[in-house]
Amino acid sequence: MWNYIAKRLLLISVVIFGVTLVTFSAMYLAPGDPAEVIAFARYGQDLSFEQIEAVREAEGLDSPAHVQYLNWLGHVLHLDFGKSVINSDDILEEILRCLPATAELALASLLLSLAIAIPAGIVSALRQNTLLDSACVFTSLLGVSIPNFWLGLLLIWLFALKLHMLPSFGYGTLDNLVLPTLTLGTSMAGVTTRLTRSSMLEVLKQEYIVAARAKGLDERTILIRHALKNALLPVLTFSGMQLGYLLGGAVIVETIFSWPGLGMLLVDSIFARDFALVQGCVLFIAVLFSLSNLAVDILYAVLDPRIRYGKHD
C-alpha cells in the first residue's frame, strides 16, 4: 500500500508539473501585453511608455519566458504563489479565503446528490422494469441532460423572482446555500442514480447473493449485509472524483449565484487578466483534484479487503 501511495504521489507531482507548464504557457501566449495590463491597473488610463517599461522590469517580464517560468516555479515550491498583479493581494491568502465557501457548497451538493441518488438507484434496481424503475431512469436522465447554467437560471426565476422564497445570489446564510446546492446536487444525482442502479443490478446477479438466498436469508439482510456494501464501492469512487471537481470550484454555478468561492475567483481573475492569480488558482485546483482522487483510492482499498495495491498496480 505504501509503495502504491508513493507511486501515486510521484505521478501527482508529474501531473502538477505538467499543469504548471501548460498554465504558464497559456498565460504567456495569451494576446496582450501583461506589463500594460498591470500598469493600467496601477496607474489608470493615462499611461506613459516609461511607466509600462518600469512595470515590465519590476515584475521581471523583460526576462526570457523560461527564466520567468523557473522563477515562478521556484517560488511556488516554497508555497509562495506571488501577489495579484492587479491589487497586490497575496494570492495564496486570496485562495484560502475563498476555499471555505467552495468547500461548503461542494459538501452540501455532494450530500444532497447522495441522499437522492442512493435510495433512488437501489429502489430502481430492486423494481427493475417496473413503472417506478422507468420513472427513476427518466428522472436521472433528465438531471444529467439539463445544463447547470440553465437549471440555475430556472431556479432563480422560479424561487427568487416568482415565488420570492429564496435569494437569487449572495453568501452567508442557509437560504443563500439552497439554490446553488440544488443546481449542483440534482445534476450530480442524475449520474449517481444511474451508477447506483447499474451497480446494484450487477451485484444482485452474483453467486454469493444466490447462495445467500439459497440459505434462506431474508431479502433485507441480503440487501444490507451483502449487496449494498459492494454495490456502493463504484459510487464511492465516483463521488470522490466529483468532490475533487467541486472543491476545484464549480465555476459556472458560483458565477451565476455570485458565490465567493474558487470558481468565481478564477473567473474574475481571467476577466481582469490577472495572470499570476489565474496560475495560482489553476495550480491549487489541480492539487486539490489529484489529492482527493488519491484519498478515494486509498479509502476504496480500506473498504474492500479484496483490493490490495501491490507492486503491479
Side-chain angles (χ1 to χ4, degrees):
M1 173 64 87
W2 289 109
N3 287 336
Y4 171 77
I5 295 174
K7 287 180 181 178
R8 284 293 304 272
L9 288 175
L10 183 62
L11 286 175
I12 287 175
S13 64
V14 174
V15 170
I16 298 302
F17 174 74
V19 169
T20 63
L21 195 60
V22 170
T23 307
F24 182 85
S25 301
M27 291 296 99
Y28 187 81
L29 297 175
D33 184 356
E36 189 173 340
V37 174
I38 299 171
F40 178 81
R42 293 180 182 176
Y43 305 115
Q45 281 187 322
D46 299 327
L47 287 175
S48 65
F49 175 78
E50 288 75 16
Q51 287 174 320
I52 296 174
E53 290 305 308
V55 168
R56 194 187 310 281
E57 184 178 355
E59 298 295 333
L61 299 174
D62 53 347
S63 303
H66 68 280
V67 175
Q68 294 183 43
Y69 171 71
L70 291 176
N71 287 336
W72 176 72
L73 194 60
H75 285 95
V76 167
L77 290 176
H78 292 86
L79 294 181
D80 178 11
F81 284 54
K83 295 187 180 299
S84 166
V85 297
I86 302 299
N87 52 27
S88 298
D89 289 339
D90 187 88
I91 290 175
L92 186 57
E93 289 181 2
E94 281 287 293
I95 292 173
L96 294 178
R97 181 182 60 80
C98 295
L99 186 59
T102 294
E104 182 182 340
L105 178 58
L107 289 175
S109 302
L110 183 65
L111 290 176
L112 176 66
S113 70
L114 292 177
I116 296 173
I118 290 178
I122 293 172
V123 169
S124 182
L126 295 177
R127 298 289 184 269
Q128 188 183 15
N129 299 326
T130 63
L131 185 60
L132 185 59
D133 179 30
S134 300
C136 289
V137 171
F138 175 77
T139 306
S140 63
L141 184 61
L142 196 64
V144 173
S145 305
I146 296 178
N148 277 342
F149 71 89
W150 189 84
L151 179 60
L153 294 176
L154 182 65
L155 291 175
I156 289 175
W157 174 80
L158 179 62
F159 290 102
L161 300 181
K162 291 297 178 183
L163 301 177
H164 303 286
M165 292 175 61
L166 295 165
S168 59
F169 64 91
Y171 172 73
T173 67
L174 190 60
D175 287 347
N176 295 124
L177 183 62
V178 174
L179 292 185
T181 300
L182 281 174
T183 305
L184 278 175
T186 51
S187 61
M188 284 177 56
V191 183
T192 312
T193 299
R194 293 169 66 85
L195 181 62
T196 306
R197 178 182 181 275
S198 61
S199 181
M200 275 296 294
L201 287 174
E202 185 177 345
V203 168
L204 290 174
K205 295 175 184 174
Q206 297 299 313
E207 291 181 356
Y208 62 87
I209 298 294
V210 177
R213 284 176 174 150
K215 290 179 181 177
L217 294 177
D218 62 273
E219 284 297 318
R220 176 174 295 184
T221 303
I222 293 172
L223 176 65
I224 296 175
R225 289 190 180 178
H226 300 281
L228 199 56
K229 182 179 177 182
N230 294 321
L232 291 183
L233 284 173
V235 179
L236 171 68
T237 306
F238 176 77
S239 300
M241 294 176 64
Q242 289 296 304
L243 181 61
Y245 159 73
L246 291 170
L247 284 176
V251 175
I252 296 176
V253 173
E254 288 189 2
T255 304
I256 290 175
F257 291 98
S258 296
W259 192 262
L262 286 178
M264 192 171 173
L265 179 66
L266 178 60
V267 171
D268 289 343
S269 62
I270 291 173
F271 280 119
R273 301 182 68 184
D274 193 337
F275 302 113
L277 189 52
V278 172
Q279 287 174 286
C281 287
V282 173
L283 177 59
F284 196 84
I285 289 169
V287 171
L288 274 181
F289 190 82
S290 300
L291 292 181
S292 65
N293 281 344
L294 175 61
V296 169
D297 287 344
I298 294 172
L299 185 60
Y300 196 97
V302 171
L303 293 179
D304 190 348
R306 297 170 301 175
I307 298 174
R308 289 290 181 267
Y309 294 115
K311 60 182 179 180
H312 299 299
D313 294 315

